[in-house]
Amino acid sequence: MLVWAAAGCSSVVEGAAEPASGQEGLFDPCKDIPDSVLEEVGLDPATEEVDIAGVEQPGWKICSWTEPWYYFSIYSTESSVATTKQNSNYVGFKPLTIGQREGVEFHLQVDADLARCFVALPAAHGAIWLSVDTKLALEPKESTCELTERYANLLDRHLPR
């Protein structure tokens, strides 16, 4: 029995990895935004992190970059902005215009201090979310919502419609 268990642990699976369910056809911020654009808006492409700790999230394409006191992330999802507004985990919805798009700013219900702020913009495939999230135990150097909105404006022309 012991030999069988050990042999099972060393098996090799051949072939290419399949994307998580719901990711097919989504905008991929890590692949679809050139490094030159990231540098143009003040982000360091070398700090890029794909997904959440490298783990794909079903229904999402996620890319983050590290800055001294925060993380900036872009999320691509099939879910619409309207669906986001129906999620009780999110509150503080405030309409805003980014380029020619009507989007919303919001935050997590449990985040009264706005350590993390989101902007969601409509896209043909669903929505693009942008977020600034303060690093644990650090004080924000400016409003996470203002910074998220600034990134949204700077990156808007590089995001899908």
Side-chain angles (χ1 to χ4, degrees):
M1 185 68 155
L2 211 225
V3 173
W4 175 79
C9 291
S10 65
S11 64
V12 176
V13 177
E14 304 242 349
E18 292 291 321
S21 176
Q23 290 185 330
E24 301 80 17
L26 288 178
F27 170 76
D28 186 340
C30 287
K31 292 180 181 171
D32 296 336
I33 299 175
D35 287 354
S36 60
V37 170
L38 297 171
E39 291 167 347
E40 201 175 284
V41 302
L43 296 169
D44 180 359
T47 67
E48 178 179 289
E49 182 176 325
V50 179
D51 299 316
I52 296 177
V55 178
E56 289 183 339
Q57 305 301 305
W60 297 87
K61 287 282 191 179
I62 305 168
C63 197
S64 301
W65 297 269
T66 303
E67 290 300 313
W69 61 270
Y70 64 88
Y71 301 100
F72 172 69
S73 304
I74 300 176
Y75 308 76
S76 179
T77 179
E78 289 179 342
S79 295
S80 69
V81 173
T83 301
T84 301
K85 292 166 107 175
Q86 295 170 359
N87 186 328
S88 62
N89 292 318
Y90 302 115
V91 297
F93 288 96
K94 187 171 82 175
L96 75 154
T97 302
I98 302 294
Q100 301 294 321
R101 287 191 257 206
E102 298 300 318
V104 292
E105 176 185 289
F106 60 99
H107 62 275
L108 289 166
Q109 181 180 28
V110 297
D111 183 16
D113 295 331
L114 296 177
R116 183 180 206 180
C117 190
F118 296 92
V119 166
L121 302 171
H125 68 269
I128 300 291
W129 291 17
L130 300 96
S131 160
V132 169
D133 186 8
T134 307
K135 288 182 179 178
L136 194 59
L138 293 179
E139 288 293 317
K141 304 264 190 254
E142 64 180 286
S143 160
T144 56
C145 290
E146 288 176 12
L147 189 52
T148 304
E149 187 175 339
R150 186 174 331 131
Y151 277 123
N153 276 300
L154 290 169
L155 290 167
D156 180 54
R157 64 188 175 99
H158 301 284
L159 301 175
R161 303 263 171 236

